Amino acid sequence: MSSDGGVGHGTDDTTSFVLRPPRQQPRVPSHPQPDAVPAPSPQQEAGAGRLVAGRYRLLGKLGHGGMGTVWRAKDETVDREVAVKEPHVPDHLPERERANAFERMRREARAAARLDHPAVVNVHDVAVVDGRPWIVMELVHGRTLGDVLQEGTLGAREAARIGLQVLGALEAAHAAGVLHRDVKPDNVLLGRHDRVVLTDFGIARIEGDTRLTDTGGFVGSPEYVAPERVLGQRPGPASDLWSLGVLLYAATEGVSPFRRSNTPATLQSVLNSTPAAPASASGPLAEVIDGLLRKDPAQRPPADRVRALLEEAARPPAPPAPTQPSLLPPAPGRSLRPPRAVWLGAGAALVAAAVAVYLVLADPFAGPLPDGWARKPEAKLGATVAVPSGYRAVRPDKDATDKNWVTYEDSSGSVWVELHLARKADDALHEIKNSARSQMYADDEKFRTDGEYTLDMPKGARTHPDDTATYHGRQAAKNTVGYRTDDSENPRPREVQIFYYRTGGGDMYTLTVGYPDRSDFTARGREVARAAIANLDVTKP
């Protein structure tokens, strides 16, 4: 288990799992981590110092999940640090259900102990205390993949490298008749020296073990569960490979392709949604993800094909072949200098190329503006907004934080374009989500359940989220929201289109275009939204 977070920090409902955008070097350092831990606070670490089974001294909590708490402990018999999983079962449960939960933990130990693979955590012991099984495992120094993804998505090669190790663990498990059934980032540890470890076989199914049967309850993480399991069909190795495909998608794109605002919606998306092609993965890695996310398990590629593709994706690019200058001497009576006509032709080509490069660098995101439109540079926002020429800027009061937004509207005030910048440096409350798609879905939930007072929007808005949008090849999101204003005397139908883009530095841009719905202005407003979104120019990295 991990020395920096172990099994995660939340419940089993991972629809709240969010990821952050790319960073340069997400790999866990291979140098050793400090072994010493500070003395735990009695209020925060109740139970620390307890001796379990006469040999395992609890030092501090590493993490907790739906089935227990993982402790960092000292095996005083052999003088080594270990990870100890303490079972957690509510006292009010009937005895049969408590026994069922304890048997599930013992099954985790049996499942992991029968596997011999470097990517599977080693199980040292099962200590039974007052009828409860405490599982003693090796302590893997490092962090979970989920923790790493909180800081940024992975590059394609790194994702393929980790995927290869997880695949190896699954192949070993399947060969031993074990299905993991909960492959997700929080159950993948990234240890020292580039080691990758798959953990938490707590809901694993062991072939031939019928002593513990499911009672109809759903087990697993909704974002990562295979469609056949949602339908109640008997899972097989292809179900674990599906989860690996979702994990690789999330690792490179920043969000699970099936994540929705609640568990039922997430399970529906698993069954019915076709994910957008991953923008950050191409070639063999994209082929792996696309193949593993096929709804029919019979159509998913087998493990050996997945391995071949991941190995290709993880391979470093070949260095360019060195170019050797010609060593042949010039022919007698000839000069190496080209004729004047050649120089003139080459010069013309160089000038043309230079002009082309200048145009690209000077305005890399410029698109064709509609007639009668103008670009409005907003230096304080690090962006340029495109609006119809007659639109006027509406500036906030001097007392407001006017550095974060600007609005342009037509003379009637019926159609408006607003650009807002949420700066990562100012996000002390961590309100910025970790990807454009996550931000869009969070706002979508708010629009439908709470409304939005700044737009005079009551709850129950009609939303049409689009998580397939991109901004110049990078991940973005868009939502179209229809509602009737909450003006009690004269409610009016309105529609807004909201475009989300998150920079590599963590800033979130939101471009919102609002206009009347179900009126003569609606078509015009939608055309303004289309052109404004298409011509947004964000200059921040």
Side-chain angles (χ1 to χ4, degrees):
M1 302 306 294
S2 167
S3 62
D4 294 311
V7 295
H9 309 283
T11 67
D12 286 339
D13 183 1
T14 58
T15 55
S16 62
F17 183 64
V18 291
L19 306 174
R20 295 184 179 175
R23 64 188 183 123
Q24 291 296 319
Q25 297 293 335
R27 182 177 291 192
V28 175
S30 60
H31 56 76
Q33 304 293 320
D35 289 335
V37 293
S41 166
Q43 290 80 10
Q44 297 177 343
E45 301 287 349
R50 178 184 176 186
L51 189 64
V52 176
R55 63 183 292 183
Y56 305 112
R57 182 76 62 183
L58 305 183
L59 302 178
K61 293 179 181 178
L62 294 175
H64 64 272
M67 295 188 64
T69 297
V70 177
W71 293 84
R72 184 177 185 178
K74 183 70 171 291
D75 185 347
E76 297 185 344
T77 300
V78 296
D79 192 24
R80 70 176 172 187
E81 288 193 345
V82 293
V84 178
K85 188 169 186 178
E86 174 188 9
H88 274 211
V89 177
D91 293 335
H92 61 77
L93 287 182
E95 183 60 31
R96 180 177 179 180
E97 293 187 26
R98 290 172 58 83
N100 187 63
F102 292 148
E103 176 61 21
R104 190 178 296 280
M105 293 198 70
R106 283 190 287 269
R107 186 173 65 180
E108 173 185 355
R110 291 196 303 272
R114 66 193 292 181
L115 305 181
D116 182 15
H117 193 277
V120 176
V121 68
N122 291 321
V123 175
H124 299 315
D125 188 15
V126 177
V128 179
V129 179
D130 297 329
R132 300 192 303 162
W134 294 59
I135 302 175
V136 183
M137 300 161 283
E138 67 170 316
L139 182 66
V140 179
H141 292 269
R143 295 187 294 169
T144 70
L145 176 59
D147 289 335
V148 172
L149 294 179
Q150 291 289 333
E151 301 173 7
T153 55
L154 304 181
R157 284 178 52 201
E158 178 71 356
R161 183 191 74 85
I162 293 173
L164 273 171
Q165 298 303 311
V166 175
L167 176 64
L170 291 176
E171 287 178 309
H174 297 162
V178 176
L179 298 181
H180 188 280
R181 301 204 301 167
D182 199 21
V183 178
K184 61 182 180 180
D186 282 344
N187 285 339
V188 176
L189 299 180
L190 306 182
R192 298 171 175 173
H193 313 296
D194 291 338
R195 186 183 176 196
V196 178
V197 180
L198 179 63
T199 70
D200 208 348
F201 283 77
I203 65 171
R205 182 186 297 276
I206 303 176
E207 183 178 351
D209 188 347
T210 59
R211 288 176 295 165
L212 181 62
T213 58
D214 295 328
T215 59
F218 182 82
V219 291
S221 304
E223 291 180 72
Y224 297 89
V225 71
E228 58 269 24
R229 287 194 54 218
V230 177
L231 295 172
Q233 299 171 1
R234 184 177 180 84
S239 302
D240 281 344
L241 294 182
W242 163 282
S243 301
L244 174 60
V246 183
L247 181 147
L248 290 172
Y249 191 109
T252 56
E253 294 301 293
V255 65
S256 161
F258 305 108
R259 181 181 182 271
R260 299 296 183 266
S261 57
N262 55 67
T263 297
T266 297
L267 296 177
Q268 281 295 325
S269 70
V270 169
L271 291 175
N272 301 316
S273 297
T274 300
S280 301
S282 59
L285 182 58
E287 184 177 342
V288 166
I289 294 173
D290 178 69
L292 293 182
L293 296 188
R294 294 172 183 167
K295 306 294 186 184
D296 184 355
Q299 295 183 0
R300 294 170 204 155
D304 56 352
R305 175 58 179 166
V306 174
R307 173 169 294 279
L309 290 170
L310 289 178
E311 288 174 345
E312 183 179 352
R315 190 176 301 123
T323 58
Q324 295 293 334
S326 175
L327 301 178
L328 294 177
R334 288 199 168 200
S335 171
L336 287 176
R337 182 177 181 180
R340 177 178 175 81
V342 176
W343 277 114
L344 290 175
L350 288 173
V351 170
V355 170
V357 170
Y358 169 77
L359 290 175
V360 170
L361 294 179
D363 199 1
F365 302 115
L369 276 181
D371 292 340
W373 279 58
R375 299 188 191 279
K376 304 290 186 179
E378 297 290 341
K380 67 181 184 301
L381 298 176
T384 295
V385 185
V387 296
S389 299
Y391 280 33
R392 61 188 180 89
V394 181
R395 303 290 177 180
D397 297 335
K398 294 296 184 181
D399 294 337
T401 56
D402 58 359
K403 66 178 181 177
N404 293 329
W405 66 273
V406 64
T407 301
Y408 290 87
E409 64 180 27
D410 73 346
S411 57
S412 70
S414 298
V415 183
W416 49 264
V417 179
E418 178 179 292
L419 180 65
H420 177 260
L421 170 60
R423 304 174 190 269
K424 181 66 175 177
D426 299 335
D427 188 30
L429 299 179
H430 305 289
E431 295 178 341
I432 299 177
K433 302 303 180 184
N434 299 320
S435 71
R437 296 171 183 174
S438 295
Q439 189 75 54
M440 183 266 292
Y441 278 119
D443 289 351
D444 181 76
E445 177 74 8
K446 178 176 64 175
F447 297 152
R448 290 185 292 105
T449 59
D450 301 323
E452 173 54 65
Y453 74 94
T454 61
L455 297 175
D456 299 326
M457 180 193 299
K459 66 180 180 179
R462 307 180 312 275
T463 64
H464 301 279
D466 176 11
D467 60 10
T468 66
T470 59
Y471 178 78
H472 298 285
R474 298 187 63 182
Q475 181 192 111
K478 189 178 78 169
N479 203 349
T480 302
V481 184
Y483 62 99
R484 186 174 291 273
T485 61
D486 56 7
D487 185 347
S488 59
E489 295 184 0
N490 188 23
R492 297 179 181 274
R494 297 285 298 178
E495 185 173 275
V496 294
Q497 293 190 36
I498 311 170
F499 180 78
Y500 299 87
Y501 172 68
R502 194 176 194 272
T503 69
D507 294 336
M508 183 71 71
Y509 282 89
T510 306
L511 181 69
T512 305
V513 183
Y515 45 87
D517 194 9
R518 303 175 188 175
S519 76
D520 294 340
F521 281 91
T522 305
R524 173 59 177 166
R526 289 173 180 171
E527 177 59 26
V528 169
R530 185 202 64 77
I533 292 172
N535 288 278
L536 175 65
D537 181 359
V538 175
T539 57
K540 283 195 170 189

